[in-house]
Amino acid sequence: MSDDIFVFTAQHRSPSEADLQAAVSEVDGLYIDVNTPPNDLIMDSSIFAHANGILGAFRIDTISYRGGKLDPVADLLKRFYVEVPALANPDSDGIFTIPELVTLLRLSPAGSFHAFADPAKRRT
C-alpha cells in the first residue's frame, strides 16, 4: 500500500526543506516533496481556497509513504508540523489539523480514514 498526505503549511513558519529531507532519508519508504503552489491554482480548488483562507500564503508538502506504515508519518507530522500553522489532507479524505491527523494515524494503522473523514464520526 502507498499513499500521500498533503500538508498545507504557512510559508512564513514552514519547516526547512533540508530538515524535512534529512528526516525522511532515515526512514525506508517515506518521501517528501515541497512545493509552493502558484496563486491562480489556489483559487481553483476549494481545499486550496480553504487552506489559503486559514493560513494565508502556504506551501504544500507532500508526504508519500509505502507499505502502509503510518507511524513514521505520524512521527514526522508531530516533529515538524504540530507547532506551526498547518492543515493536512490524507489524499482527499478530508482536511484535518495536524494534531487531529496524528491521532487518526495512530488509531488507524491500515491507513483507512473513511470512518473518520465524517466530522460526526471523529473522536475527540
Tab-separated table of all heavy atoms in Angstrom, residues 46-76:
chain	number	residue	atom	x	y	z
A	46	SER	N	-11.387	24.147	-3.896
A	46	SER	CA	-11.995	24.540	-2.627
A	46	SER	C	-11.073	24.222	-1.457
A	46	SER	O	-11.033	24.979	-0.481
A	46	SER	CB	-13.351	23.866	-2.453
A	46	SER	OG	-13.217	22.465	-2.437
A	47	ILE	N	-10.319	23.128	-1.524
A	47	ILE	CA	-9.380	22.813	-0.440
A	47	ILE	C	-8.264	23.848	-0.400
A	47	ILE	O	-7.898	24.326	0.674
A	47	ILE	CB	-8.809	21.387	-0.598
A	47	ILE	CG1	-9.904	20.361	-0.304
A	47	ILE	CG2	-7.618	21.174	0.330
A	47	ILE	CD1	-9.495	18.927	-0.488
A	48	PHE	N	-7.742	24.229	-1.564
A	48	PHE	CA	-6.691	25.246	-1.596
A	48	PHE	C	-7.225	26.580	-1.071
A	48	PHE	O	-6.559	27.274	-0.320
A	48	PHE	CB	-6.150	25.428	-3.012
A	48	PHE	CG	-5.277	24.302	-3.489
A	48	PHE	CD1	-5.013	23.190	-2.704
A	48	PHE	CD2	-4.714	24.368	-4.744
A	48	PHE	CE1	-4.202	22.165	-3.160
A	48	PHE	CE2	-3.890	23.342	-5.218
A	48	PHE	CZ	-3.637	22.239	-4.411
A	49	ALA	N	-8.441	26.930	-1.483
A	49	ALA	CA	-9.032	28.186	-1.024
A	49	ALA	C	-9.268	28.152	0.479
A	49	ALA	O	-9.049	29.143	1.174
A	49	ALA	CB	-10.332	28.454	-1.768
A	50	HIS	N	-9.688	27.002	0.993
A	50	HIS	CA	-9.896	26.846	2.432
A	50	HIS	C	-8.581	27.021	3.185
A	50	HIS	O	-8.510	27.762	4.169
A	50	HIS	CB	-10.495	25.467	2.725
A	50	HIS	CG	-10.729	25.180	4.157
A	50	HIS	ND1	-11.714	25.798	4.891
A	50	HIS	CD2	-10.088	24.341	5.014
A	50	HIS	CE1	-11.685	25.353	6.137
A	50	HIS	NE2	-10.706	24.467	6.232
A	51	ALA	N	-7.537	26.348	2.716
A	51	ALA	CA	-6.227	26.479	3.356
A	51	ALA	C	-5.722	27.913	3.279
A	51	ALA	O	-5.205	28.453	4.259
A	51	ALA	CB	-5.222	25.518	2.711
A	52	ASN	N	-5.898	28.554	2.134
A	52	ASN	CA	-5.462	29.940	1.958
A	52	ASN	C	-6.227	30.875	2.898
A	52	ASN	O	-5.647	31.801	3.473
A	52	ASN	CB	-5.650	30.372	0.510
A	52	ASN	CG	-5.046	31.718	0.221
A	52	ASN	OD1	-3.867	31.937	0.457
A	52	ASN	ND2	-5.854	32.627	-0.277
A	53	GLY	N	-7.515	30.618	3.082
A	53	GLY	CA	-8.322	31.440	3.965
A	53	GLY	C	-7.906	31.329	5.423
A	53	GLY	O	-8.038	32.280	6.187
A	54	ILE	N	-7.405	30.178	5.815
A	54	ILE	CA	-6.994	29.962	7.209
A	54	ILE	C	-5.524	30.312	7.426
A	54	ILE	O	-5.169	30.954	8.418
A	54	ILE	CB	-7.255	28.493	7.618
A	54	ILE	CG1	-8.764	28.248	7.667
A	54	ILE	CG2	-6.611	28.164	8.960
A	54	ILE	CD1	-9.160	26.826	7.904
A	55	LEU	N	-4.673	29.899	6.489
A	55	LEU	CA	-3.225	30.031	6.692
A	55	LEU	C	-2.617	31.244	6.010
A	55	LEU	O	-1.507	31.647	6.348
A	55	LEU	CB	-2.509	28.786	6.147
A	55	LEU	CG	-2.930	27.440	6.730
A	55	LEU	CD1	-2.270	26.303	5.950
A	55	LEU	CD2	-2.584	27.358	8.201
A	56	GLY	N	-3.290	31.810	5.028
A	56	GLY	CA	-2.659	32.821	4.186
A	56	GLY	C	-1.751	32.121	3.193
A	56	GLY	O	-2.027	30.994	2.777
A	57	ALA	N	-0.658	32.766	2.824
A	57	ALA	CA	0.277	32.144	1.865
A	57	ALA	C	0.783	30.825	2.447
A	57	ALA	O	1.236	30.770	3.586
A	57	ALA	CB	1.433	33.081	1.593
A	58	PHE	N	0.672	29.764	1.671
A	58	PHE	CA	1.083	28.449	2.166
A	58	PHE	C	1.901	27.724	1.125
A	58	PHE	O	1.957	28.114	-0.033
A	58	PHE	CB	-0.143	27.611	2.561
A	58	PHE	CG	-1.052	27.247	1.411
A	58	PHE	CD1	-0.834	26.113	0.647
A	58	PHE	CD2	-2.141	28.044	1.089
A	58	PHE	CE1	-1.671	25.780	-0.399
A	58	PHE	CE2	-2.993	27.729	0.051
A	58	PHE	CZ	-2.757	26.587	-0.697
A	59	ARG	N	2.541	26.667	1.558
A	59	ARG	CA	3.189	25.750	0.625
A	59	ARG	C	2.600	24.372	0.888
A	59	ARG	O	2.003	24.127	1.939
A	59	ARG	CB	4.708	25.775	0.769
A	59	ARG	CG	5.240	24.955	1.888
A	59	ARG	CD	6.762	24.920	1.918
A	59	ARG	NE	7.134	23.909	2.888
A	59	ARG	CZ	8.247	23.906	3.576
A	59	ARG	NH1	9.134	24.872	3.407
A	59	ARG	NH2	8.496	22.939	4.419
A	60	ILE	N	2.779	23.493	-0.065
A	60	ILE	CA	2.257	22.133	0.059
A	60	ILE	C	3.425	21.169	0.177
A	60	ILE	O	4.271	21.087	-0.719
A	60	ILE	CB	1.391	21.745	-1.150
A	60	ILE	CG1	0.236	22.719	-1.312
A	60	ILE	CG2	0.873	20.318	-0.990
A	60	ILE	CD1	-0.549	22.522	-2.577
A	61	ASP	N	3.474	20.461	1.271
A	61	ASP	CA	4.457	19.403	1.467
A	61	ASP	C	3.727	18.080	1.261
A	61	ASP	O	2.748	17.796	1.953
A	61	ASP	CB	5.058	19.452	2.874
A	61	ASP	CG	5.826	20.744	3.141
A	61	ASP	OD1	5.960	21.563	2.230
A	61	ASP	OD2	6.286	20.915	4.284
A	62	THR	N	4.172	17.313	0.296
A	62	THR	CA	3.540	16.024	0.004
A	62	THR	C	4.377	14.920	0.627
A	62	THR	O	5.524	14.710	0.236
A	62	THR	CB	3.420	15.802	-1.515
A	62	THR	OG1	2.736	16.899	-2.089
A	62	THR	CG2	2.672	14.515	-1.808
A	63	ILE	N	3.794	14.247	1.600
A	63	ILE	CA	4.465	13.126	2.258
A	63	ILE	C	3.945	11.852	1.614
A	63	ILE	O	2.749	11.558	1.680
A	63	ILE	CB	4.174	13.111	3.774
A	63	ILE	CG1	4.607	14.426	4.419
A	63	ILE	CG2	4.847	11.911	4.435
A	63	ILE	CD1	4.119	14.603	5.843
A	64	SER	N	4.824	11.111	0.972
A	64	SER	CA	4.459	9.841	0.349
A	64	SER	C	5.005	8.720	1.207
A	64	SER	O	6.148	8.768	1.651
A	64	SER	CB	5.052	9.730	-1.056
A	64	SER	OG	4.555	10.764	-1.880
A	65	TYR	N	4.166	7.718	1.437
A	65	TYR	CA	4.619	6.574	2.224
A	65	TYR	C	4.262	5.287	1.499
A	65	TYR	O	3.317	5.229	0.729
A	65	TYR	CB	4.019	6.601	3.639
A	65	TYR	CG	2.506	6.608	3.699
A	65	TYR	CD1	1.778	5.423	3.825
A	65	TYR	CD2	1.798	7.800	3.633
A	65	TYR	CE1	0.403	5.425	3.888
A	65	TYR	CE2	0.420	7.817	3.700
A	65	TYR	CZ	-0.278	6.629	3.828
A	65	TYR	OH	-1.651	6.641	3.878
A	66	ARG	N	5.055	4.285	1.741
A	66	ARG	CA	4.886	2.992	1.088
A	66	ARG	C	4.691	1.919	2.140
A	66	ARG	O	5.235	2.004	3.239
A	66	ARG	CB	6.128	2.631	0.258
A	66	ARG	CG	6.512	3.677	-0.783
A	66	ARG	CD	5.516	3.740	-1.917
A	66	ARG	NE	5.877	4.755	-2.894
A	66	ARG	CZ	5.294	5.942	-2.982
A	66	ARG	NH1	4.345	6.280	-2.161
A	66	ARG	NH2	5.658	6.800	-3.910
A	67	GLY	N	3.900	0.909	1.815
A	67	GLY	CA	3.737	-0.224	2.701
A	67	GLY	C	2.755	-0.014	3.840
A	67	GLY	O	2.634	-0.850	4.715
A	68	GLY	N	2.037	1.103	3.837
A	68	GLY	CA	1.025	1.336	4.853
A	68	GLY	C	1.569	1.601	6.242
A	68	GLY	O	0.844	1.524	7.216
A	69	LYS	N	2.851	1.906	6.357
A	69	LYS	CA	3.455	2.164	7.660
A	69	LYS	C	3.209	3.628	8.044
A	69	LYS	O	3.867	4.531	7.544
A	69	LYS	CB	4.938	1.849	7.631
A	69	LYS	CG	5.220	0.393	7.340
A	69	LYS	CD	6.698	0.126	7.250
A	69	LYS	CE	6.947	-1.324	6.879
A	69	LYS	NZ	8.354	-1.588	6.652
A	70	LEU	N	2.263	3.838	8.949
A	70	LEU	CA	1.846	5.189	9.275
A	70	LEU	C	2.563	5.779	10.481
A	70	LEU	O	2.548	6.996	10.657
A	70	LEU	CB	0.340	5.227	9.499
A	70	LEU	CG	-0.484	4.885	8.247
A	70	LEU	CD1	-1.960	4.907	8.571
A	70	LEU	CD2	-0.174	5.848	7.124
A	71	ASP	N	3.185	4.968	11.321
A	71	ASP	CA	3.884	5.518	12.484
A	71	ASP	C	4.969	6.517	12.094
A	71	ASP	O	5.063	7.580	12.699
A	71	ASP	CB	4.453	4.408	13.367
A	71	ASP	CG	3.394	3.793	14.261
A	71	ASP	OD1	2.350	4.452	14.500
A	71	ASP	OD2	3.596	2.664	14.732
A	72	PRO	N	5.809	6.220	11.085
A	72	PRO	CA	6.808	7.224	10.690
A	72	PRO	C	6.187	8.518	10.171
A	72	PRO	O	6.729	9.600	10.378
A	72	PRO	CB	7.623	6.534	9.592
A	72	PRO	CG	7.367	5.084	9.752
A	72	PRO	CD	6.000	4.965	10.348
A	73	VAL	N	5.031	8.411	9.508
A	73	VAL	CA	4.339	9.601	9.022
A	73	VAL	C	3.846	10.418	10.212
A	73	VAL	O	4.032	11.638	10.265
A	73	VAL	CB	3.160	9.229	8.095
A	73	VAL	CG1	2.415	10.479	7.649
A	73	VAL	CG2	3.644	8.436	6.892
A	74	ALA	N	3.228	9.753	11.179
A	74	ALA	CA	2.748	10.442	12.378
A	74	ALA	C	3.906	11.096	13.120
A	74	ALA	O	3.793	12.232	13.592
A	74	ALA	CB	2.001	9.468	13.282
A	75	ASP	N	5.040	10.395	13.209
A	75	ASP	CA	6.221	10.954	13.875
A	75	ASP	C	6.706	12.217	13.164
A	75	ASP	O	7.045	13.215	13.808
A	75	ASP	CB	7.356	9.930	13.925
A	75	ASP	CG	7.051	8.746	14.831
A	75	ASP	OD1	6.143	8.841	15.677
A	75	ASP	OD2	7.739	7.708	14.677
A	76	LEU	N	6.754	12.167	11.833
A	76	LEU	CA	7.198	13.318	11.046
A	76	LEU	C	6.254	14.510	11.229
A	76	LEU	O	6.696	15.642	11.444
A	76	LEU	CB	7.286	12.934	9.567
A	76	LEU	CG	7.825	14.005	8.624
A	76	LEU	CD1	9.333	14.155	8.797
A	76	LEU	CD2	7.492	13.656	7.175
